[in-house]
Structure formats: C-alpha cells, structure tokens
Amino acid sequence: MQQKTLLIECPDSKGLIAQITNICYKHQLNITRNTEYVDPLTGRFYMRTQLEGIFNDETLLFDLDRALPIGSERSLVGNDRKKVVILVTKEAHCLGDILIKVFDGSLPLDILAVIGNHANLQQLTEKFDIPFHFISHEQLSREAHEAQLMAKIAEYKPDYLVLAKFMRVLSPAFVKQYPNRIINIHHSFLPAFIGANPYRQAFERGVKIIGATAHFVTDDLDEGPIIKQMVTNVDHNYSAQDMAKAGRDVEKNVLSKALQQVVEDRVFVHGNKTVIL
Amino acid sequence: MQQKTLLIECPDSKGLIAQITNICYKHQLNITRNTEYVDPLTGRFYMRTQLEGIFNDETLLFDLDRALPIGSERSLVGNDRKKVVILVTKEAHCLGDILIKVFDGSLPLDILAVIGNHANLQQLTEKFDIPFHFISHEQLSREAHEAQLMAKIAEYKPDYLVLAKFMRVLSPAFVKQYPNRIINIHHSFLPAFIGANPYRQAFERGVKIIGATAHFVTDDLDEGPIIKQMVTNVDHNYSAQDMAKAGRDVEKNVLSKALQQVVEDRVFVHGNKTVIL
Amino acid sequence: MQQKTLLIECPDSKGLIAQITNICYKHQLNITRNTEYVDPLTGRFYMRTQLEGIFNDETLLFDLDRALPIGSERSLVGNDRKKVVILVTKEAHCLGDILIKVFDGSLPLDILAVIGNHANLQQLTEKFDIPFHFISHEQLSREAHEAQLMAKIAEYKPDYLVLAKFMRVLSPAFVKQYPNRIINIHHSFLPAFIGANPYRQAFERGVKIIGATAHFVTDDLDEGPIIKQMVTNVDHNYSAQDMAKAGRDVEKNVLSKALQQVVEDRVFVHGNKTVIL
Amino acid sequence: MQQKTLLIECPDSKGLIAQITNICYKHQLNITRNTEYVDPLTGRFYMRTQLEGIFNDETLLFDLDRALPIGSERSLVGNDRKKVVILVTKEAHCLGDILIKVFDGSLPLDILAVIGNHANLQQLTEKFDIPFHFISHEQLSREAHEAQLMAKIAEYKPDYLVLAKFMRVLSPAFVKQYPNRIINIHHSFLPAFIGANPYRQAFERGVKIIGATAHFVTDDLDEGPIIKQMVTNVDHNYSAQDMAKAGRDVEKNVLSKALQQVVEDRVFVHGNKTVIL
C-alpha cells in the first residue's frame, strides 16, 4: 500500500468533486483525507486528496487530464521528504530551530546545505553534519553575488529555498528562478512595518503586539503570498531590542510552522494569496 | 435558487464521497462548500455539504438512502434560523452578549424565551422584547423544578437550549429530553477545575491561564462533548474575583462562538467528542 | 478609610521613589499597590500609587509639589466613576458591549449620553435609559457638524469621549478640545491598514491574522497613542465580510479592555505612546 | 558602575517601600527598575529592585536587616549567569531549544552538564561541547539511581536543575536537596491531565486546546508552583500523536520562557504559588 497526495487547481465547474473522486474510486484508491476550496471571487477550485492504494500514476493522471477543465494544474506527489537549501546571514534562532526539528524528526525535510553571506553560522551548521557555504557579498555587485549563490544552489537541486533571516533583498532575476519556492521569514506582522528594521519601527509607534510573517518571495519586497503569521504581546517596558528578542521566538515558530505546511503539500498559491488545505 | 446543507454521518467505505457528490450532481445541485472527515479510530465518516440549486428533498434523500451504508444518519437542512430557549440564573454577561448579537444580526438565531431560576435578568431580557419566565427552584424538589422548566420549554419547541450561566445541575431525566441539544458554558478550561467554584480553584492552584468551555450537556456533569474552548492569561495580581471577572469575557466569547458553529450546522457529535466541519 | 490613586509623571531623578513614598508614609497613608516606570530613552518617570487612609489632599499635594522636580505632573484621584459620552454611527457591537458591561457592573463608568450621526442605535441606547442624540452630518459642513457635536457634548461635561465605531474623521480643532481624552477603536491592527476599509485591505493582502486597536485620538489620523491591541486568526475561507465579522468581536473586546484601563487611571500618555501601570 | 538586583520578601508593614528605597538612596544607588507586590490574603510583601552604582554589599545588607521586619528574606544578586544542570530522557525538543538559545546568547545561563537516563541525547549535547552523563536507571532501585544522579549533580554545584522532559518521578528525598531550584516542564495545561500520558488523556476527552506548564518541583507530583503556562489550539483532526507533536512546540517555548524569568531573578515562591516581578 502506497500513500500519495493528489493536488488539483482549476476553474470551478459543476460536478468536479464527483468526477475526481469517481476516478480515484475507479482506480481503487482509498481517500483518507480530502479537502477542497472554491474561491468565490475568482471561481478557482483547489483540492488536496490523500490517497492510499496501488498507484498507476500514468493512467490516473491520464484519466484526470481528460476530466479536468482547461487551465487545470494537477500533480500527484509521493511522500518523499522535500529537499531544501537554507540561506542565512548572522542570526542563529531560525536556522537553529530548523536544525533541531530536522534532527529530532519533527520536521520531515532534508537540509541539503546552508549558505551564508556571513560565516557566523558555519559552526552551528556543521555540528549537524550539513555543508555550509560562505559566499560573501562584500566587494561584489548584487548580480555577481547572486550568480555565485545560484551556482551553488544549482548544485543541490533543492525543492525549496528557505530564507532563515537572510538579510539581503533578492533581485527579480533571482526570484524568477524559484517561483513560489522561496520561503522567507519577515520580522514583522506584515503589512505593518514593511522594509528595514521593523522592530525599531514597532517600538517608535508604541504598538502593543508584534509579530512575524512567513511568506513566499515575489518580486515585490515583502509583498509575497503570506503562509503563516503569529504574534506576541509587548508593552511599554520593551525597548526596541527587547521587541527584537521577543520577536525572535515568534519568527522561528512561524517559519517552522510554515515549512511544516509546505512540506506536507498543503499550500496552494494564487496571485498574492495562499490557500492552505 | 435555494441553499441547503446536507449533513451525513456514517461508517466509512470506499467511494463514499464519489457516490454522494455524484447524487448531488445528478440532481443538478452545485456544491458551494464541502468538508469531510473520517475518524481514523472509529472509521466513522462525517460530511457537510453546502448545496445550491432547485431541491427535490424527497428524491434526493431517497437516492442518498439507497447509496449510504447501514447505520447512516443524514439530514438536509434549510437555512431557517434556529430557535433557542436560554436558561439563566443571575449573571448578565453571557445573556447580554447573545442579546446584542441577535439584535445586531451577527448571531442568526431566534431567542424564543429566557427562563431564570432567579428574576435578576428579567429587566435585561424584556428590554429586547423577549419573554422572560421566572421559575424559582426555591421550596421545590429538583424533580418538581425541572418539571416546571420542561413544561415551559415545551411550549416553545426550541431547537436548542442554551445554558447561559444557569447555575443548576440538570438531572439525567431532563438531559435525556434534549440529546445533544443543550449547550452549556462551563467557567473553566475543562477538564481542569471540574465542579463548583472553578475560579476559586484556579486561584488556589496559582495557574497562569484560565479559560472557559462550551459543551453539550450529557448525564455526566462537565463531561459532555466540548465544542469550543478559549483562554486568557492571568498572574499573581489576580484575586479569585479578578479571575472570575477576566473569565466572564472569555465565557461570553466562547459561548457565542460555539452557538455560531451550532446554528451553522457545523457540529457533529460522536460519543463524548465533537467533529466541527 | 478612603482610597485614592496618586498619579505622578516627571523627569527622573535619584531618590524619587524614596521621597514620594516617604511623604505618603508621613501622611499615614498605606500603599496598597505601587507601580513605577522610567523610560530609559526619555528619562521620564511614571508612578501610580494606590493609597488607603485619611486624606488631606491639600497638604499631601503641597508636600509632593515641594519634593517633585520642575516639569512634574501629579494628580490625586478618588474612585468616582468616570463619566463618558459615546459617539456612534451605525454598528451596534461596541456600543452594545459597553452598555451590557455597564449594566452588569463589570465596567465601572457612567454613560451620560450616546450621540449618533445616524439614528440606528437610538433604540438600543434607550433600552438602557440613556439619552440618545441624533446629530446628522448630512447637509452640514464638517465645521458645522462638529460645532453641534461639541455643543451637545459640552452639556454633559464628560471625562472621556468614546468613539465606538464613529465613522467620521474628527478635525484638529475638535480633537484639541479633548486632549488625550478621546478613545477610538480602529478596526485594524495598526499601523497595518491605515485609513478606509481595513478589512477589505486585509482581505486583498491575504493576511492570516486580523486585529483591532484602541487608541487616543490625536490630530494625525490613526496615529494616536495605542492603548490596547488584540488579534484573531483568519484564513483563506474568510471573505472581506467574514473578516469584518470576526473583527467585530475583537473590536468590542479591545475597546472595553482599553476603557477598563483608562477608568482605572492606569494609562499615561507621553508623545505618541502609552505607559500602562 | 555595577548592577545588582535586590530581592526582598517579608511581612508587609506601613512605610516599607519608603524605608527600603531610602536606604538605597542613602547608599547612593540608583533604582533603574522597581517592582513590588503585596499579597492581600497573606499580607506578604515582595520587592525586586534593580540598582546601579558602587555597592558595599555588607553595609547595605546590614542597614536593610535593621529596617526589615522579623521574618524577612533578602538577597543582593549580581548579574553572574546562573549555572544549570539539565536532566533529560529521550526527547530532544526542549534540550535542543535551550542549547540553541544559550549558543546564540538569547538565554543567559551556563549549562554545566546534561544528564540522561537514556543515552539518546548524548550526541546532540556534545555537539555543543557540553558534557553528557548517561546514568541509566535500569537494574537500579529508585534510591540507588537517584544517589548516582545526586552525586553527579553535586560535582557541578548548579544553581538550578532543569528537567527538560525527564520522564522519571523524583523522590521527596531528592527534591528536598534542591528546594525551589528544580524546574520541570509538564506536558499538559495543569491541573488538567495530571499524571501519565496527558496528550492521550486530552485526546480521549476531546479538548480543543492543549497546553504545557513550567513549574518548580515539590514533593507533590505535578503540584509545584507554576511559573508559566502556554497553550495551542487543536481540533478533531488531531490524533493523540498530533497533539503530542503540537504540544512539543508549546513545551519548549514555555520552558525557555520560564527559565528566562528564573535567571533574571523575577520569580518568588510562596507556598504553592509564584509571584513574578
């Protein structure tokens, strides 16, 4: 008995669920979990179906393709662990949390490599027997630096890039290489405090709650589809540094929760939004 | 175009979703929202399907009954507002919140009457032109008091009874009249602090979080299926009275959120648990 | 035995707490609760002291004034209930929550009157035997409308104005009449989604958390000192209307929590921030 | 300029704050932060005062001792990092979180050693160059095992013992050695689900929220003074295993937050409660 997940995204039409589940039934596949969503504004249909049985991928997909409307996207994914490359700068908390969770088995993914534009996290990474590549941006143009990053990443062929407090803005040319496959943690409750030094901004504004946002990276800085947000309370006792410190716990938690949803193939992207099934 | 919700609960079997959605399709009903759940331990299947179209209830249910396995329960509910009778004692916050929400249209239900074993809330209830019945328990045996309550409730034929801080324990004989139709708010984060004076218990224990629980009432005191729980932080500055006060906000919020889910036909009960679709 | 609260705000200097508490001791007043805060950036000292005893206000304040540095503000407030006038437009949830809480005694303040620029909430207000004044803005310039509002408010001499979903922007001239005495509920998690229709903005952005903010009103729209913020989770299932509905519960809760802190004389304002002791 | 924290706990009496802050003032010490609390039920006074200046500990404490009532406890602590020994069994998440936070400097304490009754976490501990001692309980009586633990702990003279998912109940004899110095993480929202396998219990009960509790260990199992509690939402989709997994994130967060408060000397214990200043 194998387990696979069927992911479908297409224009909505009457009878879609019946047609899709019929095909699964005909292939003698048992549905262990099924979730759908129709966006009432766009008329877009999303479905995630966990299946169990003996799979003939080719004929199953062939039958689906005949049934699904034009403009459909579908995929049948096995439960192989997703492969990621992590980009970091200096802060250890997000990387550390992912390392521990992968180490203890609670986050089922493979970290192929960690790349830093500073060398600070080399020691931590190598404790877990994961290759660390130090690719400094100093003395380099953005293009030259990103070319080095892309060359190194290409060696690993990751499913996803994770920006675990990577403090550099990526160019559209870079982002285009990995559409909806770069996950960033932004250290604010977006869209509040876009841009640099959000904890300083939050402090200046005197907010009573701070947060963090995990999102896919698009060309528009801090404007990509949001996967997960979490917050924590602060008060007048918090300096900007205290807010940053309290925020670090939120950041690591929200990033690893977002990664969990991504590696479980729960996250659909449409426009600048996510549908999480 | 009408809108109805199909509720199905039955033993799981292969192809169930396909069969059910096929029948809907055959009846030219559009599925606007569909949620299912299979309990992996009990093998019980739950499905809630929002449908849109021209309904022939009789033939639709006939087709479903032929398709569904033995031991199925199904119903097709229109979107009439649910009718409730509310039982209270002295505290105004839960009743008040429901009155306001019904008044402003955000909680779509009809309050047929409020019954109190004290008269304190008569004035508040009548402000909203809802009948209030004062049925004192004093000088009466439990049986005699409950007989009076049941007689009065029977006049109204409610879909649900809501215990909005009704501080009397109901007998099994009473509860049996309204299986899974009595919703209570318990002023603790069950199963912590079962029984009397939970805020006093919470205070004595020195907890840092208190909560409240909305649940269906069963014979076992405080042991019925939980619908919703919410919590709030407290600290050493809170006296037992302060905890009770902080708790009142949680209580009213959790009760009205639970009612919202119930009146939207989202809550299935199986054994002492709820499945909320 | 009387109970009063001493509020002091002044430039910090060595020995301040000793001097102040000495004076209280000399006056044979017992400190039942004391909280101080020094803002490390501005060097501003804040102190809130709950006192119990026989008060001679004049000599106590005289002694304090001799001891406190230049630039101090101090007040000694009894525990009279604060008097408020509430301004509303059409939505009932915030007003309703305050009405119920004042009715059941959990929010210790006196509502002198409710003023609406629409008449929708007249019926609700009058249920609680509180005067409602309908002052339409139609056919009037902003100045003319505000002049009518101010004239009516002046009749009541309130301690605070509460904007309970009053959907009009107040002019600087109006705001200047009530410095740090106008409390507004903004239907977003400020500073995200400043301005009109924040739930629509939140929906467009695809956020996973929405919130509300209670703040003092200053000349800068949505930029006044924040008193309290609260949030709730949303997901892709929420339409803009669903977000607004979920937000209403947050709005009413955050507004009444902020009012609670204000009427307990806990909220100090300095610049565009609050210190809550 | 040195920084120290003065901790005082004593029976309340009039003028205490004035007397204590006067003494600090006389010693030319600047109060950078001061918090007090009087328990209204026990009449117990707690005060935590952060001081800055040139300290003569002996004369300062001498002056305080003359001023404080009988039954006072006071201490003047420098800001040396607290030293801890961590006890573990098999689960990595709590230990891992502490290791990362100490590594990146966000949790200011020194881990002297980790002791496990299983060897599973030896590899993880040693990655961070911290000694790991495997002291199996197998083939040993509880007394014999605890004797070995105590002997090993005694070599390190820690300020605190941290039970980071140490799955053995400690005897009263052991606990007595470290009064209010053993911090445990209990994997439930105490007092719900005392005892073994709380996630299984939570699952059986069908709760909608689970939590974790950090507390000092006393003779009564799971009854010690609570330092911190945190919760997370669950629903019918969660198996007992899913709840345990969701709970692990809560556990690690609540334990490290509690440790943070303990190492900052904020936590007072009185009876079975904590006062956190």
Side-chain angles (χ1 to χ4, degrees):
Chain A
M1 290 284 271
Q2 294 166 287
Q3 293 180 327
K4 300 200 177 189
T5 303
L6 179 62
L7 304 171
I8 292 171
E9 189 190 327
C10 64
D12 191 25
S13 73
K14 208 177 265 190
L16 259 182
I17 303 174
Q19 286 168 285
I20 297 166
T21 54
N22 268 337
I23 290 169
C24 296
Y25 183 49
K26 195 186 100 183
H27 280 257
Q28 297 195 284
L29 297 168
N30 197 29
I31 296 176
T32 57
R33 185 161 174 165
N34 188 46
T35 333
E36 328 93 31
Y37 173 69
V38 179
D39 187 319
L41 289 188
T42 61
R44 193 117 187 124
F45 173 89
Y46 303 85
M47 184 162 163
R48 178 183 182 275
T49 310
Q50 291 179 204
L51 296 163
E52 209 171 55
I54 311 297
F55 289 80
N56 183 329
D57 290 25
E58 214 173 313
T59 61
L60 177 62
L61 292 173
F62 179 81
D63 287 354
L64 283 166
D65 286 342
R66 283 201 313 184
L68 291 174
I70 290 168
S72 297
E73 292 171 45
R74 62 17 178 205
S75 57
L76 184 66
V77 293
N79 44 19
D80 300 340
R81 292 157 68 94
K82 300 288 187 289
K83 295 174 197 323
V84 308
V85 166
I86 301 177
L87 274 65
V88 298
T89 296
K90 289 179 178 174
E91 289 176 84
H93 57 288
C94 286
L95 175 63
D97 197 54
I98 298 171
L99 288 170
I100 293 288
K101 284 190 148 164
V102 170
F103 177 84
D104 78 5
S106 60
L107 188 58
L109 54 78
D110 290 334
I111 305 171
L112 303 177
V114 176
I115 301 174
N117 64 320
H118 287 267
N120 303 46
L121 300 175
Q122 174 150 14
Q123 195 198 353
L124 176 63
T125 304
E126 292 179 347
K127 285 182 195 301
F128 291 85
D129 303 316
I130 290 165
F132 182 94
H133 304 284
F134 170 37
I135 302 181
S136 173
H137 61 283
E138 291 191 25
Q139 318 285 356
L140 292 180
S141 68
R142 177 185 304 276
E143 291 68 33
H145 184 236
E146 290 192 349
Q148 289 190 19
L149 290 177
M150 283 192 272
K152 184 53 71 185
I153 293 164
E155 292 176 19
Y156 288 102
K157 301 188 177 58
D159 298 308
Y160 292 97
L161 292 185
V162 179
L163 310 187
K165 303 289 287 180
F166 182 64
M167 304 307 279
R168 312 240 333 142
V169 176
L170 296 169
S171 72
F174 186 108
V175 171
K176 197 185 300 173
Q177 300 297 312
Y178 311 94
N180 295 334
R181 287 168 53 204
I182 310 177
I183 297 147
N184 184 44
I185 176 70
H186 184 80
H187 42 321
S188 95
F189 182 65
L190 287 175
F193 310 126
I194 286 176
N197 217 337
Y199 293 118
R200 165 62 52 184
Q201 293 184 60
F203 171 76
E204 299 290 354
R205 181 61 188 89
V207 298
K208 302 298 186 186
I209 293 181
I210 56 170
T213 304
H215 65 100
F216 287 112
V217 176
T218 57
D219 284 6
D220 295 313
L221 180 61
D222 301 340
E223 290 292 336
I226 293 172
I227 304 167
K228 183 86 185 168
Q229 297 186 295
M230 292 171 74
V231 296
T232 196
N233 294 319
V234 294
D235 62 36
H236 61 268
N237 283 299
Y238 284 67
S239 66
Q241 290 72 26
D242 293 334
M243 288 191 183
K245 183 174 176 180
R248 282 198 284 271
D249 268 342
V250 182
E251 292 168 15
K252 78 175 187 197
N253 286 328
V254 75
L255 179 57
S256 67
K257 286 233 162 69
L259 283 177
Q260 186 81 36
Q261 293 178 318
V262 167
V263 301
E264 290 175 358
D265 296 302
R266 298 187 176 282
V267 185
F268 293 75
V269 177
H270 191 66
N272 74 329
K273 293 190 189 178
T274 60
V275 170
I276 300 181
L277 299 182
Chain B
M1 289 286 269
Q2 295 166 286
Q3 292 180 328
K4 299 200 178 190
T5 302
L6 179 64
L7 304 171
I8 292 172
E9 190 191 325
C10 63
D12 191 24
S13 73
K14 208 177 266 192
L16 258 182
I17 303 174
Q19 285 168 285
I20 297 166
T21 55
N22 268 336
I23 289 168
C24 297
Y25 183 49
K26 198 187 99 183
H27 281 256
Q28 296 195 282
L29 297 168
N30 197 28
I31 296 175
T32 57
R33 187 160 173 168
N34 187 46
T35 333
E36 326 94 30
Y37 174 68
V38 179
D39 186 320
L41 289 188
T42 61
R44 192 115 186 126
F45 173 90
Y46 303 85
M47 184 162 163
R48 178 184 182 276
T49 309
Q50 291 180 203
L51 295 164
E52 208 170 56
I54 312 296
F55 289 80
N56 184 327
D57 289 26
E58 214 173 313
T59 60
L60 177 62
L61 291 174
F62 179 81
D63 287 354
L64 283 166
D65 286 341
R66 282 202 313 184
L68 292 174
I70 291 167
S72 298
E73 293 171 44
R74 59 25 178 200
S75 56
L76 185 65
V77 293
N79 44 20
D80 300 339
R81 291 158 69 95
K82 300 288 187 290
K83 297 175 197 322
V84 308
V85 166
I86 302 177
L87 274 64
V88 298
T89 297
K90 290 180 177 174
E91 289 176 86
H93 57 289
C94 287
L95 175 62
D97 199 53
I98 298 171
L99 288 170
I100 294 288
K101 285 190 146 161
V102 171
F103 177 84
D104 79 3
S106 61
L107 189 57
L109 54 79
D110 290 333
I111 306 171
L112 304 177
V114 175
I115 302 173
N117 63 322
H118 288 267
N120 303 47
L121 299 175
Q122 175 150 12
Q123 193 197 355
L124 176 63
T125 303
E126 293 178 349
K127 286 183 196 300
F128 292 85
D129 302 318
I130 290 166
F132 182 93
H133 303 286
F134 170 35
I135 302 181
S136 174
H137 62 281
E138 291 191 26
Q139 317 285 358
L140 293 179
S141 69
R142 177 185 306 275
E143 290 69 30
H145 185 237
E146 291 192 349
Q148 290 190 19
L149 291 176
M150 282 192 272
K152 184 53 73 185
I153 294 164
E155 292 176 19
Y156 288 102
K157 299 190 178 55
D159 298 310
Y160 292 97
L161 293 185
V162 179
L163 310 187
K165 303 289 288 178
F166 181 64
M167 305 307 279
R168 312 242 330 144
V169 175
L170 295 170
S171 72
F174 187 108
V175 171
K176 198 184 300 174
Q177 300 297 312
Y178 310 94
N180 295 334
R181 288 168 54 204
I182 310 177
I183 296 148
N184 184 45
I185 176 69
H186 184 81
H187 43 320
S188 95
F189 181 65
L190 289 174
F193 309 126
I194 286 176
N197 217 335
Y199 293 117
R200 165 64 48 185
Q201 292 183 58
F203 172 76
E204 299 289 354
R205 182 61 188 89
V207 296
K208 302 298 186 187
I209 292 180
I210 56 169
T213 304
H215 64 99
F216 288 111
V217 177
T218 57
D219 285 4
D220 294 315
L221 180 61
D222 301 340
E223 290 292 335
I226 293 172
I227 304 168
K228 182 86 183 168
Q229 298 187 294
M230 291 171 73
V231 296
T232 196
N233 294 318
V234 293
D235 62 35
H236 61 268
N237 283 299
Y238 284 67
S239 66
Q241 289 73 24
D242 293 334
M243 287 191 183
K245 183 174 177 180
R248 282 199 285 270
D249 268 342
V250 182
E251 291 167 16
K252 78 175 187 199
N253 286 327
V254 74
L255 179 57
S256 66
K257 286 234 162 69
L259 284 177
Q260 186 80 35
Q261 293 178 319
V262 167
V263 301
E264 291 176 356
D265 296 301
R266 297 186 178 284
V267 185
F268 293 75
V269 177
H270 192 66
N272 74 329
K273 292 189 191 180
T274 60
V275 169
I276 300 181
L277 298 183
Chain C
M1 290 287 269
Q2 296 167 286
Q3 293 179 328
K4 301 201 178 190
T5 302
L6 178 63
L7 304 171
I8 292 172
E9 189 189 327
C10 63
D12 192 24
S13 72
K14 208 177 267 191
L16 260 182
I17 304 174
Q19 286 168 282
I20 297 166
T21 54
N22 268 336
I23 290 170
C24 297
Y25 182 50
K26 198 186 96 183
H27 279 256
Q28 295 195 284
L29 298 168
N30 196 29
I31 296 175
T32 57
R33 187 160 173 167
N34 188 47
T35 333
E36 328 93 31
Y37 173 69
V38 179
D39 186 318
L41 290 187
T42 63
R44 192 118 185 122
F45 173 90
Y46 303 84
M47 184 161 163
R48 178 184 184 275
T49 309
Q50 292 180 201
L51 295 164
E52 210 172 56
I54 312 297
F55 289 79
N56 183 330
D57 290 26
E58 215 173 313
T59 60
L60 177 61
L61 291 175
F62 179 82
D63 286 353
L64 283 166
D65 286 342
R66 282 202 313 186
L68 292 175
I70 290 167
S72 297
E73 293 171 44
R74 67 8 178 213
S75 56
L76 184 65
V77 294
N79 44 22
D80 300 339
R81 292 156 70 95
K82 300 287 185 291
K83 297 175 196 321
V84 308
V85 166
I86 302 177
L87 275 64
V88 299
T89 296
K90 291 179 176 174
E91 289 177 84
H93 57 289
C94 287
L95 174 63
D97 199 52
I98 297 171
L99 288 170
I100 293 289
K101 284 190 147 163
V102 171
F103 176 85
D104 79 3
S106 61
L107 189 57
L109 53 79
D110 290 333
I111 306 171
L112 303 177
V114 176
I115 302 174
N117 63 322
H118 288 267
N120 303 48
L121 300 176
Q122 174 151 13
Q123 196 197 352
L124 176 62
T125 303
E126 292 177 350
K127 285 181 195 303
F128 291 86
D129 304 316
I130 290 165
F132 182 93
H133 304 285
F134 169 36
I135 302 180
S136 173
H137 61 282
E138 291 192 25
Q139 319 283 0
L140 292 180
S141 69
R142 176 184 305 276
E143 290 68 31
H145 184 237
E146 290 192 349
Q148 290 190 18
L149 291 176
M150 282 191 272
K152 183 54 72 185
I153 293 164
E155 292 176 19
Y156 287 103
K157 299 189 178 57
D159 298 308
Y160 292 97
L161 293 186
V162 179
L163 310 187
K165 302 290 286 179
F166 182 63
M167 306 306 278
R168 311 242 332 144
V169 175
L170 295 170
S171 72
F174 186 109
V175 171
K176 199 184 300 175
Q177 301 297 313
Y178 311 94
N180 294 334
R181 289 168 51 204
I182 311 176
I183 296 147
N184 184 45
I185 176 71
H186 184 81
H187 42 320
S188 96
F189 181 64
L190 287 176
F193 310 126
I194 286 175
N197 218 335
Y199 292 118
R200 166 62 52 184
Q201 292 183 58
F203 172 75
E204 300 289 353
R205 181 62 189 88
V207 297
K208 302 298 186 187
I209 291 180
I210 57 170
T213 304
H215 64 99
F216 287 111
V217 176
T218 58
D219 284 4
D220 294 314
L221 181 63
D222 302 342
E223 290 293 336
I226 293 172
I227 305 167
K228 182 87 185 167
Q229 299 187 293
M230 292 171 72
V231 296
T232 195
N233 294 318
V234 294
D235 63 35
H236 61 268
N237 283 301
Y238 284 69
S239 66
Q241 289 73 24
D242 293 335
M243 287 190 184
K245 184 175 176 178
R248 282 198 285 269
D249 269 342
V250 182
E251 291 167 16
K252 78 174 187 200
N253 286 327
V254 74
L255 179 58
S256 66
K257 286 233 161 70
L259 283 177
Q260 185 80 35
Q261 293 177 320
V262 168
V263 301
E264 291 176 357
D265 296 301
R266 298 186 177 283
V267 184
F268 294 75
V269 176
H270 192 66
N272 75 329
K273 294 190 189 178
T274 60
V275 169
I276 299 180
L277 298 184
Chain D
M1 290 287 269
Q2 293 167 289
Q3 293 180 327
K4 300 201 178 189
T5 303
L6 178 64
L7 304 171
I8 292 172
E9 190 190 327
C10 64
D12 191 24
S13 73
K14 209 178 267 191
L16 259 182
I17 303 175
Q19 286 169 284
I20 296 166
T21 55
N22 268 337
I23 289 169
C24 296
Y25 183 51
K26 195 186 99 183
H27 280 256
Q28 296 195 285
L29 297 168
N30 197 29
I31 296 176
T32 57
R33 188 165 173 161
N34 188 46
T35 334
E36 328 91 32
Y37 174 68
V38 179
D39 187 318
L41 290 188
T42 62
R44 193 115 186 125
F45 173 90
Y46 302 86
M47 184 162 165
R48 178 184 182 275
T49 309
Q50 292 180 201
L51 295 165
E52 209 171 55
I54 312 296
F55 289 80
N56 184 330
D57 290 26
E58 216 172 312
T59 61
L60 177 61
L61 291 174
F62 179 81
D63 287 351
L64 283 166
D65 286 342
R66 281 202 312 184
L68 292 174
I70 290 167
S72 298
E73 292 171 44
R74 58 26 177 201
S75 57
L76 184 66
V77 294
N79 45 18
D80 301 339
R81 293 157 69 95
K82 300 287 187 290
K83 297 175 196 322
V84 308
V85 165
I86 302 176
L87 273 65
V88 298
T89 296
K90 289 178 177 176
E91 289 176 85
H93 57 289
C94 287
L95 175 63
D97 198 53
I98 298 171
L99 288 170
I100 293 288
K101 284 190 147 161
V102 171
F103 176 84
D104 78 5
S106 60
L107 188 59
L109 55 79
D110 290 333
I111 306 171
L112 304 176
V114 175
I115 302 174
N117 65 320
H118 287 267
N120 302 46
L121 299 175
Q122 173 150 15
Q123 195 198 352
L124 175 62
T125 303
E126 291 178 351
K127 285 182 195 305
F128 291 85
D129 303 316
I130 290 165
F132 182 93
H133 304 284
F134 170 36
I135 301 181
S136 174
H137 61 281
E138 290 191 28
Q139 318 284 357
L140 293 180
S141 69
R142 177 184 306 274
E143 290 68 29
H145 184 237
E146 290 192 349
Q148 289 191 18
L149 291 177
M150 283 192 271
K152 183 53 72 184
I153 293 165
E155 291 176 20
Y156 288 103
K157 301 188 178 55
D159 298 308
Y160 292 98
L161 292 187
V162 179
L163 310 187
K165 302 289 286 178
F166 182 63
M167 305 306 279
R168 310 244 328 147
V169 176
L170 294 170
S171 72
F174 186 108
V175 171
K176 196 184 302 174
Q177 300 297 311
Y178 311 94
N180 294 334
R181 288 168 55 205
I182 310 176
I183 297 148
N184 185 43
I185 176 72
H186 184 81
H187 42 321
S188 96
F189 181 63
L190 287 176
F193 310 127
I194 286 176
N197 218 338
Y199 292 118
R200 165 62 52 186
Q201 291 183 59
F203 172 76
E204 299 289 355
R205 181 61 188 89
V207 297
K208 302 297 185 186
I209 291 180
I210 57 169
T213 304
H215 65 100
F216 287 110
V217 176
T218 57
D219 284 5
D220 294 315
L221 180 61
D222 300 342
E223 291 292 337
I226 293 172
I227 305 167
K228 182 90 186 164
Q229 298 187 294
M230 292 172 73
V231 296
T232 195
N233 294 317
V234 294
D235 63 34
H236 61 267
N237 283 300
Y238 284 68
S239 66
Q241 289 74 24
D242 293 334
M243 287 190 183
K245 184 175 177 178
R248 282 198 285 270
D249 269 342
V250 182
E251 291 167 15
K252 78 174 188 201
N253 286 327
V254 74
L255 179 57
S256 66
K257 287 233 163 68
L259 284 177
Q260 186 80 36
Q261 294 178 320
V262 168
V263 301
E264 291 175 357
D265 295 301
R266 298 187 177 282
V267 185
F268 293 75
V269 177
H270 191 68
N272 74 329
K273 294 190 190 180
T274 60
V275 170
I276 299 180
L277 299 183

